[in-house]
Amino acid sequence: MSGKNKLGRVLADNAVVILFILLSVIAIPFSGFSVQNILQEMFTRLGRNSFLVLALLLPIYAGMGLNFGMTLGAMAGQIGLIMAIDWGIAGWRGLVFAALVGTPLSILLGWICGAVMNRAKGREMVTGYILAFFMNGVYMFLVLFTMGAVIPVRSATILLTRGYGIRNTLNLDLVRASLDKLLMLRIGPFFIPVATYLVIAVLCVFIVWFKKTKLGQDMRAVGHDLVVADSAGIPVERTRIIAVVISTVLACYGQIIFLQNMGNMATYNAHDQTGFFAVAAILVGGASVKKASLLNAFLGIFLLHLMFYVSPRAGQNLFGSAMIGEYFRQFVGYGVIALSLVLYAWKTRRDAVFAREVLKNNGSSGHSDAAKEGAAK
Amino acid sequence: MGQDSPLLSIQHVSKDFYGNVVLQDVSFDIKPGEIIGLVGENGAGKTTLMRILFGMPVITETGGYQGKIVFDGHETNFSSPFDALDAGIGMVHQEFSLISGFTTTENILLNNESMKPNFLNEVFGDRMSFLDRSDMKQRAVKAIQKLGVKLNPDMLISEMPIGHRQFTEIAREINREKIKLLVLDEPTAVLTESEAEVLLTSLRNLAAKGISIIFISHRLQEVLSVADTIVVLRDGKAVKNLPSKECSIRDIASWMVGRSMTSESDAEVANRKLADEYFRVEHLWVDMPGETVKDVNFTVNKGEIFGIGGLAGQGKLGISNGIMGLYPGGGKVIFDGKEAPLNDPRKVLEIGFAFVSEDRRGVGLLLDESLEWNIAFTSMQIKNSHLKKMLKLVKIRDDASMRKLTEEYIKLLDIKCTGPSQKAKELSGGNQQKICLAKAFAMKPSILFVSEPTRGIDVGAKKLVLDTLIRYNREYGTTIVIVSSELEELRSLCDRIAIIDEGSVAGILEPTAPLEEFGMLMSGAFESNKEASHA
Amino acid sequence: MLKVKEFIRDFGWPRLIIFFFLVFMFIAAPFVGVRLDASFSDVLNRFGMNAIMVLAMVPMVQSGCGLNFGLPLGIISGLLGATISIQLGVTGFGGFLIAVFIALFFASILGWLYGLLLNKVKGEEMTIAMYVGFASVMFMSIMWLVLPYNSPNMVWGYAGKGLRTTITVEGYWLRVLNNFLAIKFGEFFVIPTGLLLFVALCVLIVYVFMRTKTGTAMTAVGSNPDFARASGVSVDRMRAISVMLSTMLGAVGIIVYEQSFGFIQLYTGPLYMAFPAVAAILIGGASVNKASMLNVLVGTFLFQGLLTMTPSVINSLLQNDMSEVIRIVVSNGMILYALTRKTKVSK
């Protein structure tokens, strides 16, 4: 393979990362933000979003693509938070309570999601996406119509004035930033939410450790080749379900961490964009449908949120309209997902052709040489 | 080898699929450390026998089998291949069953990894144990050494040469502690000669360590050189079972194909006068996975029925698929004095080629559409037939004419169906094949390529399909090139038969040529002669 | 009894439930004070508004490209046509036709390119289609702000540039189809004859197209691409044509929708418009790889019937606004059902 070809391959394989770095480099000066400001914002956002993005990793290992069904976990987390607020449990205890309520819910939802995806092998992503929409309906029914009517709610302040159903915006003052503030460290001009970072670190350790277990190895095998794994006796469907369940539970915790940082919650919309942001982040970090690492996740969060933070202001300063920046960042978000998927699909086909070439050249080469000679004549 | 009791004893095994007998009273024994060479034509029953041995679900689903299999002193009745594995029987398939993104070690120990328990096992079970990578590597290296080959335990499968992949597969089977019997199905098919030689040596090593081996291969030289005993299957019967020292390649070849011939068809076929050359193939190569064609040359005369035979995987199917432009290929195809384009299915259909694919359900039919569609579609697309003007503006499908055409062929070929609008998937295999023929006939082809016309259809339908082909040839003078694994079929039908081996023509014979000649060509036994004469 | 079981299996229980639910609502309507004639009239109108966008699913499903989640691409073309037509200031039926022609022009180009893209990513079409659709909607949102439109009816008053979020078509071509030969029965029941005729025309065109040589080839490609290739049909070309056709239908569909609705919704408006259309055709009995005109008509009628009747009937029945929940659960449940159903492609 020639050097030029190789360079082209490297560029193509990292096209998304390179594109994003370029965009950010261009946009930062126009935004007018100071470096200090941007860095502080990045520290905050890293703490806010990392957990959610990391939740995507296991299904990717298991070959199920980007788990758009993680939204289900986010909904479970929100129900947990609603309960915590209703019971008036403040501070970090409220978060733990929310997680305790959310865990069984998200295990159940994850199991459903995994089972549904097992019935739609080869199109898990679109199925997960639609499943999230579907469950959104169920969530609305639960929160808007049964809470306060069937499910008892103690504090009337979180209910709509009609007497049942949770308000559109839920004030999370009770638990606001309770994890972030648990151990806030001040380094120079920066505030670092150490406790949040510790939780994320624990998750990273868990993921690294999980990959070393038998189950993690099975998951990799299933992800690489479903048929071979099955013929080797690995319980394929069960392994896939476990991957989705863990992902859903992590998404539940991730959403709780996300919302405690935000401080309030749009009851019926907070989960809408969860999957989108997480998926866009990990793809921007250079992950693909089949391959992702911790580095991809963190690099992606940094790049995506840098872009999201600076582009409205840059748009304002460049074109005199904040909306342009707003639309632009959404365009980039959706575009990045589309681009990564296209590049990946295209790459799979290219590799398949490449693999066949290798096979051909490898297999009893003497004859194929003769054939080529013959063709040349 | 002495008087050891046999490790595996197959006793009077018979099997039929819905009345279609594929195995009939097959018996043989394998002693510990013995290598058995199992040979036979395609369809002789090798695959079915192995499926029975491994307890594949397909066997029980189709009514089980008669007879007895005794392994290691116990009568076995495995309900799944995993049971067979647990009992100590390993199988290496023709297709690789490896994960290409995993290393050699990971593949050898796939789902059989060494584990270190930890506290989480109490709660979540064994799957939460850590992998013991260093122990895994040791075990892998041990298996590789046992095999007597050189393999890098840390290399990814995707970066390995093909031969090493094959060794990895075998290493995986022998890594299991209990392994006593190893079945290898065409293990040398994808290997180069030197790789194959290494493999045979390592198989002898394994046998010396007491592991019994069933070696299935069409390369008779290899079988003879490695096996202690040869078992020849033909038409579901074990026709020969004797020490390899006592037979030659020529013997085995004739046992494999030898069966009584009906002489009448010969006479009819032999004395035909044929016109001049009509179709020529020069240095054709085709990249069809599993059926690679490397360098094929032959000519066909006008009005001839030309047969192409050979064993599976040797490239005979690639020839017709390549000529029809369905797989990438190169070389020269000359038809009626003009060069025909390759790699363009539409062009060759336009100049009068037609094709009946061996993959009936995959390529030959629109299973979810009506018979009308199936028969008329190609002709509509290529010849603009079965279209009518609507309001003098657009041409649309002429359903009435499609129906008429279909009804014609239903009558002509005696297709059993409820009517022209029945879905193709609801027909039996034989009738589906007739639909494929009708589709080709509707093109009014100058030359017709037929691949495996009788694969998977019952005896009665077979005869009908073959008769139809002969009739079509005799009535319209259509040149037919027929590719088939069934030598008998070719001999009853064709004017000349080319045998393909390793992607090129091993020889072209008259249908009346002695059977062992065919057998020799198929088994690659002439290769050494050829090479000798070159030198 | 066996026959009934088989029918239910083939038709699918979700569709039956939806059907009976709709029947139930029509029966219940008079009892809760909902006027049947007004409801019917409403259903008919909404049927006409949406049918062409549902029709836009057919070519892509038939050629094996799956459900057209990329419909927003067609809608964008339609929006371009509509806004340019208004910018030109042509009113009445002429304005509508100009909008359609401009839209078709853009849709054919975008559709062809989109088809080429989908050919590169066989097997992943649906997810990619969805995100290509989203991204193009966002891209156009920027364009709506910067393109040099200046019709005072469309741009923001204070800035004098940038299109408004919703633009009224009143005074241009509001209800030109609806009012054409409209038949009124009493106060509440109107048959939008022109609209229904236009829908019928579009359905007829697609119906005839699917019966031409190209249309037949397209269906064969969807049914078995290998068969089609062996018959000399270019699979990629047929798929690209089907995507182009779907996109063009989507473009016409949105203009028909707008002339009845009265407004052009720009910016993020088209983002989720593919989903109701996808749900409708599935409710009509289509699967991920087979769809017919009948599926379109039945599906649009059932789905729009559901959308019309649930808010009025359920809300007056239960005294709450549960209809939104029902809409979400039904439409997405239907798509989910189709995606997870073991596809009956026999191999």
Side-chain angles (χ1 to χ4, degrees), chain A residues 206 209-222 224-225 227-235 238-239 242 356-360 362-365 367-368 370-372 374-375 377, chain B residues 82 96-99 101-102 106-107 110-113 115 118 120 126-131 133 136 158 160-162 165 172 190-192 283 285 287 289 292 294-295 328 330-331 502 504 527:
Chain A
F206 168 77
W209 168 86
F210 183 82
K211 282 175 79 174
K212 291 188 175 166
T213 64
K214 164 80 175 134
L215 184 58
Q217 180 77 354
D218 287 354
M219 224 169 253
R220 273 182 68 215
V222 171
H224 274 285
D225 196 323
V227 180
V228 174
D230 186 48
S231 68
I234 295 171
R238 205 182 135 75
T239 308
I242 293 174
R356 223 178 55 199
E357 292 286 309
V358 171
L359 209 70
K360 211 172 97 191
N362 243 318
S364 47
S365 48
H367 279 284
S368 58
K372 270 180 211 143
K377 279 176 210 162
Chain B
F82 297 117
F96 294 123
S97 184
L98 298 169
I99 293 180
F102 274 24
E106 285 173 319
N107 269 294
L110 188 61
N111 203 25
N112 191 14
E113 293 92 347
M115 292 190 265
N118 63 29
L120 278 169
D126 283 346
R127 289 180 93 189
M128 289 314 276
S129 315
F130 285 125
L131 297 186
R133 292 261 171 197
M136 281 170 67
S158 55
M160 267 182 198
I162 306 294
R165 298 184 194 186
R172 173 159 82 204
V190 292
L191 302 188
T192 62
H283 302 300
W285 61 266
D287 183 15
T292 315
K294 285 162 189 160
D295 184 8
E502 310 253 324
S504 34
E527 221 172 351

